[in-house]
Amino acid sequence: MTQSLPAELDTTWPPPPFRTPVPPVIAEDGVRRFDGVTYATRPGFRPRLLDVHVPAAQGPVPAVVWIHGGGWLEGDRRYPPPTVPAGLLHGTVLAAGLALVSIDYRHSLEAPFPAQLHDVKAAIRYVRAFAAAFGIDPGRMAVWGESAGGHLAALAGLTGPDTPGAATLEGTEGVGAGDTSVRAVVDWYGVSDLVTLREHPMPPMPPGAGEYPDPYDALLGGTEEERLALARAASPVTYAAGAVGAPPFLLVHGTRDGLVPYGQSQALDAALRAAGAECRLEPVEGADHIFLGAPDVAPIVARSVAFLAHHLGA
C-alpha cells in the first residue's frame, strides 16, 4: 500500500523559491512570532529570511518592514544599531498595534545592486502573499530602514511598476510578481545621492579592523567607467523628481554624521518637496551616524513609530 507524505513534507519539483510560513510561537502577551521564514531562495546564495512579530489583535494589523544597515556589506535582521536596543524598537512598534517584519537581504559582495532592492521588494510581495497566515492587512504596509537600510527603504518607496526601468528594479525573487507599493517610508540617515557621496572620504578604519571594501564600489559593481551611471540608478534622488503619488516620507538624520553627511537627507527632502510629495526632515542636533551623541534615542523611535502608525491608520 502506498503511503502519502504528510502535508508539510509534500514536495514539488522544482521547489518554489520560498517557503510557506509555519505556525507561530505565541508569547504570554499574545504576540505571535514567525521567526526565520524563508521568503526567497536562489541556488548558490544563503536563503533570505525574515521574522514577523504580530501583536495580539482581533483582526489583521498594519505592518512595518524593518531594513537593517551595515554599508550593504554586513548586518542582520535581528539586530538594530547598538544605539537602538532591540527591545525598544520591537516594543514600540508592537505597542502601536503594528506588526514588525525584519528582513535580511543579500550583501553587496554576494550580489551588487539592484539585488538588495530586489530582496526588499520580494519580502513585501511575500508578506502580501501570506498576509492571511500572518494576520497582516496587505493594504497597509510601510518600510523603515537605517543607514544602508534607509537607502533601500527610500528606493522601495520611490520605485514601482511605472518607474522607468521598472523591470530592472522590481526583480522576480521569491514570489515573483505582485504589488510592492508601501504607504509610508521612514529613512534614518540613509544615502540619497551616491554620485556625490562617492566623493565624500570614508572615515579611517580603527586599528586592527583589517581591509574593508569600499562600500559604494562594492554595492555598484561594474567597472570604474560604468559606476557613474550605476550610481545614478541606485540613488533615491534620481526617482524623487517623478515622485507624484509617492508615499509620505520621514527623514531623520544626525547633523554631525561623519559617515553619511546630513546633506544627503536634505537633498532628498528638497527633491521630494519639489515634486509635490509629502516629506518631513527631522535633524538630530549634534548626533553622528546611528545617532551617536544623541542624549536619548527613545523619543526618536517613538516619533518614527507615531509617523508610521498615523499613515497606516493604526
Side-chain angles (χ1 to χ4, degrees), residues 212-252:
Y212 198 84
D214 183 289
Y216 308 114
D217 289 351
L219 175 71
L220 299 174
T223 65
E224 188 59 38
E225 292 73 24
E226 295 169 329
R227 283 183 189 144
L228 179 59
L230 291 167
R232 290 194 186 100
S235 294
V237 293
T238 299
Y239 309 100
V244 177
F249 271 67
L250 171 64
L251 310 177
V252 189

Side-chain angles (χ1 to χ4, degrees), residues 5 27 38 53 61 64 86 106 124 182 202 210 220 289:
L5 291 170
T38 300
H53 297 173
V61 299
V64 177
R106 283 171 288 177
I124 294 169
V182 294
M202 289 287 294
L220 299 174
H289 204 61

Side-chain angles (χ1 to χ4, degrees), residues 131-161:
F134 292 131
I136 284 173
D137 182 346
R140 294 190 290 165
M141 292 181 64
V143 287
W144 178 7
E146 59 96 14
S147 196
H151 162 259
L152 295 172
L155 283 174
L158 290 171
T159 60

Side-chain angles (χ1 to χ4, degrees), residues 241-286:
V244 177
F249 271 67
L250 171 64
L251 310 177
V252 189
H253 208 131
T255 58
R256 297 187 64 184
D257 194 323
L259 189 62
V260 179
Y262 177 67
Q264 287 283 305
S265 284
Q266 289 180 305
L268 183 56
D269 176 59
L272 287 168
R273 289 175 178 274
E278 179 183 344
C279 185
R280 189 167 89 219
L281 172 60
E282 289 194 1
V284 182
E285 295 296 337

Side-chain angles (χ1 to χ4, degrees), residues 2-293:
T2 303
Q3 185 175 5
S4 62
L5 291 170
E8 65 270 17
L9 297 179
D10 194 14
T11 61
T12 58
W13 193 262
F18 53 84
R19 299 193 61 124
T20 56
V22 298
V25 173
I26 303 177
E28 290 183 2
D29 59 2
V31 172
R32 286 166 287 149
R33 298 174 60 108
F34 303 80
D35 291 329
V37 180
T38 300
Y39 74 86
T41 63
R42 179 179 283 269
F45 294 94
R46 61 192 166 99
R48 277 142 283 164
L49 306 180
L50 56 78
D51 300 334
V52 183
H53 297 173
V54 185
Q58 294 300 314
V61 299
V64 177
V65 176
W66 167 262
I67 312 169
H68 70 77
W72 310 281
L73 285 160
E74 53 189 345
D76 187 309
R77 71 187 187 281
R78 297 168 295 178
Y79 307 118
T83 48
V84 183
L88 172 65
L89 178 70
H90 294 188
T92 308
V93 171
L94 293 169
L98 306 173
L100 181 66
V101 181
S102 303
I103 70 169
D104 283 332
Y105 53 88
R106 283 171 288 177
H107 295 155
S108 56
L109 294 185
E110 294 178 279
F113 185 84
Q116 297 71 32
L117 180 59
H118 289 174
D119 289 350
V120 172
K121 289 177 175 285
I124 294 169
R125 287 193 297 264
Y126 182 90
V127 173
R128 281 209 165 97
F130 293 102
F134 292 131
I136 284 173
D137 182 346
R140 294 190 290 165
M141 292 181 64
V143 287
W144 178 7
E146 59 96 14
S147 196
H151 162 259
L152 295 172
L155 283 174
L158 290 171
T159 60
D162 298 325
T163 303
T168 301
L169 298 169
E170 290 289 305
T172 58
E173 298 292 315
V175 176
D179 181 13
T180 61
S181 65
V182 294
R183 288 179 55 169
V185 177
V186 174
D187 172 359
W188 279 1
Y189 46 86
V191 173
S192 68
D193 185 350
L194 274 83
V195 175
T196 60
L197 195 59
R198 289 185 69 226
E199 301 171 359
H200 178 72
M202 289 287 294
M205 297 301 293
E211 292 187 11
Y212 198 84
D214 183 289
Y216 308 114
D217 289 351
L219 175 71
L220 299 174
T223 65
E224 188 59 38
E225 292 73 24
E226 295 169 329
R227 283 183 189 144
L228 179 59
L230 291 167
R232 290 194 186 100
S235 294
V237 293
T238 299
Y239 309 100
V244 177
F249 271 67
L250 171 64
L251 310 177
V252 189
H253 208 131
T255 58
R256 297 187 64 184
D257 194 323
L259 189 62
V260 179
Y262 177 67
Q264 287 283 305
S265 284
Q266 289 180 305
L268 183 56
D269 176 59
L272 287 168
R273 289 175 178 274
E278 179 183 344
C279 185
R280 189 167 89 219
L281 172 60
E282 289 194 1
V284 182
E285 295 296 337
D288 202 339
H289 204 61
I290 67 170
F291 302 138
L292 283 170

